[in-house]
C-alpha cells in the first residue's frame, strides 16, 4: 500500500473467476484512487476474470480539501458548520445536495424572512459560480449563495 494502512491479504482465485475488492486503504495526506495492475493507467476492475497472476498496487493522489461554507446559514442537515470534503488532486469534487430554504425572525417586526439557496460560488462576495467540472488542484473554499424569497416568507 506504499506507506498506507496494512496491505490486504492475498487471494487465491480460480482461473476465469473474479477477485473480491478489498477494503480501501488509508494514507495520511493522500486519497486512495484505486487498485492498479502493473503499469496500467486505469484502476483495476474487480469484474475482470483472472487469467494470470495479478499483483495490484494501491494508487494514491495527493489530498486536497474542498470546504463548503454555508455562510452561517442552514445546510441540508440544518447545521451552519462548514462541510470539508477530501478530493484527490486533479480530480473533480462531487456537488453536494443543495441546502434547503430556511427562515429567520426579524426582531424589529416579529415577522420572518425565507432565504433560498442560489448556488455555490468561488468567493464570499458570491460573484463567480463554482465550476464542478474543474479539477481541484489545491485546498479551496466554496461559498453558498442565498437570496431573500420574493414571497417574503
Amino acid at each position: 500500500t506504499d506507506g498506507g494502512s496494512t496491505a490486504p491479504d492475498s487471494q487465491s482465485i480460480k482461473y476465469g473467476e473474479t477477485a473480491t475488492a478489498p477494503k480501501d486503504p488509508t494514507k495520511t495526506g493522500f486519497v486512495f484512487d484505486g487498485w492498479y495492475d502493473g503499469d496500467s493507467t486505469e484502476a483495476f476492475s474487480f469484474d475482470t476474470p483472472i487469467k494470470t497472476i495479478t499483483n495490484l498496487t494501491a494508487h494514491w493522489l495527493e489530498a486536497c480539501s474542498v470546504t463548503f461554507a454555508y455562510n452561517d446559514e442552514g445546510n441540508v442537515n440544518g447545521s451552519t458548520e462548514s462541510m470539508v470534503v477530501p478530493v484527490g488532486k486533479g480530480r473533480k469534487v462531487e456537488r453536494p445536495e443543495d441546502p434547503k430554504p430556511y427562515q429567520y425572525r426579524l426582531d424589529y417586526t416579529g415577522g420572518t424572512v425565507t432565504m433560498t439557496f442560489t448556488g455555490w460560488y468561488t468567493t464570499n462576495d458570491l460573484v463567480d459560480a463554482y465550476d464542478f467540472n474543474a479539477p481541484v488542484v489545491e485546498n479551496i473554499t466554496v461559498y453558498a449563495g442565498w437570496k431573500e424569497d420574493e414571497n417574503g416568507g
Side-chain angles (χ1 to χ4, degrees), residues 34-53:
W35 295 101
Y36 283 65
D37 184 11
D39 294 330
S40 176
T41 58
E42 294 191 17
F44 178 79
S45 169
F46 284 91
D47 294 330
T48 303
I50 304 297
K51 297 182 179 178
T52 185
I53 294 175

Side-chain angles (χ1 to χ4, degrees), residues 22-75:
K23 180 180 173 188
D24 290 351
T26 58
K27 183 177 179 180
T28 302
F30 291 85
V31 173
F32 177 66
D33 190 46
W35 295 101
Y36 283 65
D37 184 11
D39 294 330
S40 176
T41 58
E42 294 191 17
F44 178 79
S45 169
F46 284 91
D47 294 330
T48 303
I50 304 297
K51 297 182 179 178
T52 185
I53 294 175
T54 304
N55 291 305
L56 302 179
T57 304
H59 187 261
W60 303 99
L61 293 173
E62 182 180 339
C64 293
S65 63
V66 177
T67 301
F68 290 93
Y70 292 93
N71 299 333
D72 296 325
E73 316 303 352
N75 69 14

Side-chain angles (χ1 to χ4, degrees), residues 56-139:
L56 302 179
T57 304
H59 187 261
W60 303 99
L61 293 173
E62 182 180 339
C64 293
S65 63
V66 177
T67 301
F68 290 93
Y70 292 93
N71 299 333
D72 296 325
E73 316 303 352
N75 69 14
V76 287
N77 297 321
S79 169
T80 59
E81 293 185 20
S82 297
M83 176 176 66
V84 179
V85 177
V87 62
K89 187 173 188 173
R91 298 288 197 240
K92 300 173 199 172
V93 67
E94 187 175 321
R95 181 186 178 104
E97 183 179 335
D98 287 351
K100 295 179 174 126
Y102 72 95
Q103 291 184 332
Y104 67 91
R105 182 168 301 285
L106 298 171
D107 290 337
Y108 57 91
T109 65
T112 60
V113 174
T114 300
M115 298 298 286
T116 303
F117 176 73
T118 61
W120 295 106
Y121 297 86
T122 58
T123 58
N124 203 21
D125 61 8
L126 311 177
V127 174
D128 297 317
Y130 180 74
D131 179 4
F132 283 91
N133 290 314
V136 177
V137 295
E138 62 185 347
N139 296 337

